[in-house]
Amino acid sequence: MQHGGEKPLCCQICGKVRSFCLKVHRKTHTGVKPFSCEICGKSFREKWYLKFHRKTHTAERPYSCQTCDESFNSMNEVICHQKVHKPLREFW
C-alpha cells in the first residue's frame, strides 16, 4: 500500500491486490483464451502457457535431475522432484 491507504495495483473486478502482472490477472475474469494448441485444441490466456503445454505433445524434457538424470518439462518440476533424493529426518 502507498501512503494514504490507496491500492495502486488493485483489480477493479475482484479487489485483489497484485504486486505484478495485473494485466494478466484481469484476463482471468474475461475467460478469453486466445492461444490454442494446434494439436489438441486446448486454449490458454498467455502465450507462454501454450509454449509450455506444447512440450507435453513433443515429449521434450530439457531439464534433468543431476542426481538420477530423470528429465522434466520445467525447472520447477526438477526442484520438486529433487525432494525424493533428500533423506527423511528422524524425529526421536
Side-chain angles (χ1 to χ4, degrees), residues 3-88:
H3 297 287
E6 103 182 61
K7 297 177 182 177
L9 296 175
C10 183
C11 176
Q12 296 172 339
I13 298 169
C14 69
K16 286 188 178 182
V17 176
R18 306 293 298 179
S19 59
F20 65 97
C21 298
L22 186 57
K23 283 183 182 180
V24 173
H25 167 78
R26 285 184 183 142
K27 290 179 185 178
T28 63
H29 299 297
T30 65
V32 174
K33 296 180 177 181
F35 303 99
S36 297
C37 176
E38 59 280 352
I39 297 170
C40 70
K42 190 170 182 177
S43 297
F44 302 89
R45 282 189 299 272
E46 298 298 319
K47 192 173 185 175
W48 74 270
Y49 285 138
L50 174 59
K51 186 176 178 181
F52 179 78
H53 166 78
R54 282 183 182 142
K55 293 177 186 178
T56 63
H57 298 299
T58 64
E60 179 183 350
R61 296 167 141 332
Y63 303 94
S64 298
C65 172
Q66 293 179 347
T67 304
C68 69
D69 292 327
E70 189 171 343
S71 57
F72 300 89
N73 287 338
S74 71
M75 184 54 77
N76 190 45
E77 289 178 295
V78 173
I79 292 167
C80 290
H81 161 78
Q82 287 176 337
K83 293 176 184 175
V84 304
H85 298 298
K86 293 182 180 181
L88 295 174

